[in-house]
Amino acid sequence: MPESKGRAKPAYTPPRTAQDRNIKPNPRWFVPVMLGLMVIGLIWVVTYYISGAKEYPVPQIGRWNLGAGFAFMMAGFLMTTRWR
């Protein structure tokens, strides 16, 4: 049985390198704000759970205090993805 002719393989071309972008470091306030948001959110949630009558930190919003605390923590966490 005759063999088929193989296809000519293209010459090796190295992968393209990423363009040299001028990536600037974060400002000095970035890390303290990031950590501050995460700590404020943690303290907010812990304060809500520890307050017996659910009076703190903001009594008018009730269970939404958990959402506010987690929103602070999530904002800090999202800032970690931009940290250089």
Side-chain angles (χ1 to χ4, degrees):
M1 175 172 239
E3 291 185 27
S4 63
K5 294 181 181 178
R7 294 185 184 174
K9 293 183 181 179
Y12 173 74
T13 55
R16 289 189 278 174
T17 58
Q19 294 178 353
D20 185 23
R21 288 191 263 166
N22 223 356
I23 298 176
K24 298 178 183 177
N26 292 111
R28 295 186 68 165
W29 55 264
F30 193 82
V31 173
V33 169
M34 173 182 70
L35 295 175
L37 285 171
M38 287 191 271
V39 169
I40 288 171
L42 179 66
I43 291 171
W44 194 293
V45 171
V46 168
T47 304
Y48 174 74
Y49 274 121
I50 289 177
S51 68
K54 309 291 187 222
E55 296 178 6
Y56 298 105
V58 181
Q60 291 84 8
I61 62 175
R63 289 185 182 172
W64 283 101
N65 279 306
L66 289 176
F70 281 113
F72 280 119
M73 286 189 278
M74 186 59 71
F77 176 74
L78 289 175
M79 285 181 75
T80 62
T81 63
R82 298 290 182 181
W83 183 26
R84 292 181 220 120

